[in-house]
Amino acid sequence: MKESEIDSYPIILTAIEISEILKISKPTAYELMNRHDFPLIKIGRCKRVLRDEFFLWLSNH
């Protein structure tokens, strides 16, 4: 993915945006977010991920 495409996403990603990026379902995105090595941020019950950390994690997998 090009850097300009990456920058078009918000700084903090939701499961919906992750599912769009990876072309997977929303429930599958939540499963991915539950992995121990995923760079997850929990705010109460909300699950989020920083865009740059997500793409770094993705490039390493």
Side-chain angles (χ1 to χ4, degrees):
M1 189 172 268
K2 295 179 183 176
E3 190 170 333
S4 61
E5 292 174 344
I6 292 171
D7 290 341
S8 69
Y9 288 100
I11 293 174
I12 299 176
L13 303 174
T14 64
I16 294 171
E17 289 150 345
I18 291 170
S19 68
E20 290 172 0
I21 292 166
L22 299 177
K23 297 184 181 7
I24 58 176
S25 69
K26 186 176 167 186
T28 303
Y30 276 113
E31 285 180 29
L32 180 67
M33 293 171 88
N34 286 330
R35 289 177 49 137
H36 72 280
D37 63 338
F38 192 84
L40 183 68
I41 298 172
K42 287 185 80 172
I43 304 168
R45 291 180 48 200
C46 297
K47 295 181 178 183
R48 302 291 188 263
V49 62
L50 293 174
R51 176 190 63 205
D52 296 337
E53 288 186 22
F54 170 71
F55 283 104
L56 178 63
W57 176 86
L58 188 60
S59 69
N60 291 325
H61 285 83

